[in-house]
Amino acid sequence: MNKLIKALACESRVRVYIANTTDVTNEAIRLHDLWPSSASVLGKTMTIALIMGAMLKGDEALTIKIDGNGPIGNVIVDSDSKGNVKGYVDHPHVHFSNKQGLDDITTLGYNGYIDVIKDLKLKDLYSSTIPLETGDLAKDFTYYFTSSEQTPSLVALSSIMNEDNTCMVSGGIIIQLMPGAKETDIVFLESKYPILNNFSKLLLEHTNLENILKLLFIEDYKLLDIQEIRFHCDCSKEKFYYGISTLGRNEIEDIIKVDKQAEVICHYCNTQYIFSEEELKNLLKGMKKWKH
Ligand code: ZN
């Protein structure tokens, strides 16, 4: 199973998150029949969402919604603090490559926005929107952390696909300066750019993520947590019953008359739920009861 690690480094003035999301991305490819470019963009977004999820606590959760006005359409990813992630894209069959490999920027577009919605279990959701300007998710999220969360961060993401349309490696690292970080920490981190720029190589060479910490920080780090991460959709027939009931009585009666059944597909995991005529009629009876 894939893992995410949290650590402190540079005498605890720097916070580090590293995730290997290869299995998570392969599960998304299987569920959504993603072509390589769509898989790369969704894989990277899931990596960021999992790391941002690891910054939450308890039952808190978040949603990332990206619309770059490119061929992939919307990219939607949900995650929580427990290592669960689920996500989908509007158009799974998108593929563009260039000399460097998969072309995320053409796939995603570079003229839109990134929306981060956090459910911190307070009265209101916390929502923050930034423009998507480069289409390079690492760069755009670096800007997000600085502008929306006032936390200077270094973000590196990577995704490589195999010839057979499976994911060879996917993952990322986010390094954040804590209050009290020194100028020397920034200089030190900048000196690591050449290694971080090829993050796929690091992930392929180090199945144990702690070895990446060792490589970057030698002895000067403290491992805080190792978390298992997974693609997990919590949908159920019960949840969709509620969804259908919100359509209202007339609509449901029409469905019974015309289609004899209702078919609902979960966007996040492509599971199909069929509601029979009898189940829909029972739902109507239930709705009547709720009214009285
Ligand atoms: Zn689902």
Side-chain angles (χ1 to χ4, degrees), residues 99-167:
K99 276 186 200 143
Q100 285 80 42
L102 294 172
D103 185 351
D104 289 345
I105 295 176
T106 303
T107 302
L108 188 59
Y110 39 84
N111 179 22
Y113 65 90
I114 296 175
D115 226 352
V116 176
I117 303 136
K118 290 186 185 171
D119 181 358
L120 304 175
K121 302 297 163 190
L122 303 168
K123 213 173 91 198
D124 299 312
L125 295 174
Y126 164 87
S127 163
S128 174
T129 303
I130 60 154
L132 177 107
E133 281 181 336
T134 71
D136 177 331
L137 289 173
K139 281 188 190 150
D140 283 322
F141 271 92
T142 299
Y143 176 73
Y144 166 82
F145 285 114
T146 308
S147 69
S148 293
E149 304 204 353
Q150 288 77 47
T151 310
S153 304
L154 192 162
V155 181
L157 298 166
S158 130
S159 238
I160 300 180
M161 299 299 148
N162 292 311
E163 293 274 319
D164 67 355
N165 196 23
T166 54
C167 176

Side-chain angles (χ1 to χ4, degrees), residues 86 231-236 240 265-271 273:
K86 59 179 181 179
F231 191 108
H232 171 72
C233 188
D234 55 353
C235 67
S236 65
F240 283 108
I265 292 174
C266 173
H267 283 307
Y268 287 99
C269 69
N270 263 329
T271 303
Y273 296 94

Side-chain angles (χ1 to χ4, degrees), residues 21-22 25-26 29 36 39-41 43-44 100-102 104 157-171 198-204:
T21 57
T22 310
T25 305
N26 272 317
I29 291 172
S40 170
V41 168
K44 286 176 182 174
Q100 285 80 42
L102 294 172
D104 289 345
L157 298 166
S158 130
S159 238
I160 300 180
M161 299 299 148
N162 292 311
E163 293 274 319
D164 67 355
N165 196 23
T166 54
C167 176
M168 182 195 291
V169 67
S170 174
N198 196 348
F199 202 67
S200 296
K201 189 164 173 272
L202 285 187
L203 286 173
L204 286 169

Side-chain angles (χ1 to χ4, degrees), residues 211-228:
N211 290 337
I212 299 178
L213 284 177
K214 272 186 204 148
L215 186 80
L216 292 171
F217 302 103
I218 320 295
E219 297 276 291
D220 186 9
Y221 72 87
K222 193 171 130 202
L223 187 63
L224 297 178
D225 193 17
I226 303 175
Q227 191 181 39
E228 291 192 335

